[in-house]
Amino acid sequence: MSTTADPLGALAGLPGVGDSVDSVRKAVDRVYGHRIMRRRSNEITSEAALRGARGSAALSGAEWALEEVRRRSDFSGDGEARTVGAALRLTAEAGQLLSIWRQSPLRVLARLHLVAAADADETAGRPRLAGEPVDEPLVELDLPDADEVAGRLEGLSQLIIAGSSAPALVMAAVVHGELLSLRPFGSHNGLVARAAERIVLVGSGLDPKSICPAEAGHAEQGRAAYVAALDGYASGTPEGMAAWIAYCGTSVELGVRESTAVCEAMQRGAA
């Protein structure tokens, strides 16, 4: 990452990133302009939350049909059920943490992990210590040691608190990529990273009503594409970073498509 005073702003200048930012902005504006949004935005938000949680859980190995996620009320069973339950809890919790994020992002991350783990893990809510294992089978990148994790988390926190001229998409992609590369917690790192991305997209004002579930877009692109794009981020090269940001932009646009389809279905039903 650039060593300039505003490294995220520098990322926004990478080739192709501006096009991704513009495309995302136009897609989000279109769905916000849909006539259904004027009357039933709360319903769209609720449906987007469900679809986002389902997508995030799928990337963590629990690939449930949307209707199964909608139908179930008990998520205390096997590992897949607990993963889906964790994703749903994080989606609900993220909206309560927006006001804290810019002042204390590390506190928010600790809370997200605590919510995801649901007290099932004695390490819940704190970054891992030296020698502690990490359960994140999807990501096969080299695991940074605890000291590197602490330093990079502090650096990420300072960037968020200081603010940046970078577009919301760039900030969200960096937060997501950094957390998933670091895997700072013993478990649920993917779920936490995607919830943090959601917080940035909503809190930045790009998606204030949380109706554009990027998590659904990540899932639609598939786990292989997700891992490949993350490898680009972890490489630290301009090309890899730009490719990750563009990948995240595509995910937001696919999330927009999901919510647009929901709006269209509601409009047909009201006709």
Side-chain angles (χ1 to χ4, degrees):
M1 189 176 292
S2 170
T3 57
T4 64
D6 185 4
L8 297 182
L11 289 179
L14 292 175
V17 171
D19 291 339
S20 295
V21 169
D22 289 344
S23 183
V24 166
R25 178 75 267 175
K26 290 175 182 176
V28 172
D29 286 347
R30 283 195 299 271
V31 71
Y32 269 84
H34 197 287
R35 60 185 298 182
I36 287 292
M37 282 295 296
R38 293 195 294 270
R39 297 181 285 113
R40 302 175 68 178
S41 64
N42 289 343
E43 293 174 67
I44 305 299
T45 295
S46 296
E47 185 65 19
L50 189 72
R51 292 174 184 235
R54 182 256 172 201
S56 192
L59 287 170
S60 288
E63 297 189 46
W64 286 18
L66 181 62
E67 290 310 312
E68 177 67 7
V69 179
R70 196 191 308 279
R71 181 187 68 82
R72 288 282 287 268
S73 59
D74 180 7
F75 299 95
S76 61
D78 61 17
E80 286 196 5
R82 291 194 295 272
T83 296
V84 175
L88 288 166
R89 289 193 302 274
L90 283 174
T91 298
E93 186 72 16
Q96 309 302 313
L97 299 171
L98 294 170
S99 62
I100 306 172
W101 175 254
R102 283 292 301 273
Q103 286 74 43
S104 186
L106 297 184
R107 179 181 163 196
V108 169
L109 294 175
R111 175 62 185 169
L112 290 174
H113 187 250
L114 192 64
V115 168
D119 299 323
D121 181 352
E122 64 181 12
T123 69
R126 67 158 175 80
R128 56 186 167 85
L129 304 177
E132 290 183 337
V134 173
D135 179 15
E136 196 67 48
L138 178 62
V139 181
E140 297 181 354
L141 297 170
D142 290 342
L143 189 67
D145 63 31
D147 288 342
E148 181 179 350
V149 168
R152 286 172 63 178
L153 279 179
E154 181 59 32
L156 181 64
S157 174
Q158 291 175 4
L159 281 175
I160 293 165
I161 293 169
S164 170
S165 63
L169 173 65
V170 174
M171 174 68 85
V174 167
V175 167
H176 182 174
E178 190 72 358
L179 292 174
L180 200 50
S181 299
L182 290 177
R183 285 146 290 164
F185 302 106
S187 64
H188 300 94
N189 288 287
L191 293 175
V192 168
R194 292 184 288 275
E197 177 187 49
R198 162 70 19 218
I199 287 172
V200 175
L201 291 171
V202 174
S204 67
L206 176 64
D207 180 20
K209 293 185 183 293
S210 194
I211 63 167
C212 307
E215 307 95 323
H218 294 313
E220 184 172 339
Q221 293 190 77
R223 298 177 84 187
Y226 187 60
V227 170
L230 179 65
D231 285 347
Y233 175 86
S235 74
T237 65
E239 296 79 11
M241 299 287 282
W244 169 251
I245 294 167
Y247 164 85
C248 290
T250 298
S251 293
V252 175
E253 291 188 64
L254 290 171
V256 168
R257 190 174 70 181
E258 289 254 343
S259 288
T260 300
V262 173
C263 287
E264 294 293 335
M266 287 184 175
Q267 183 167 285
R268 288 193 298 272

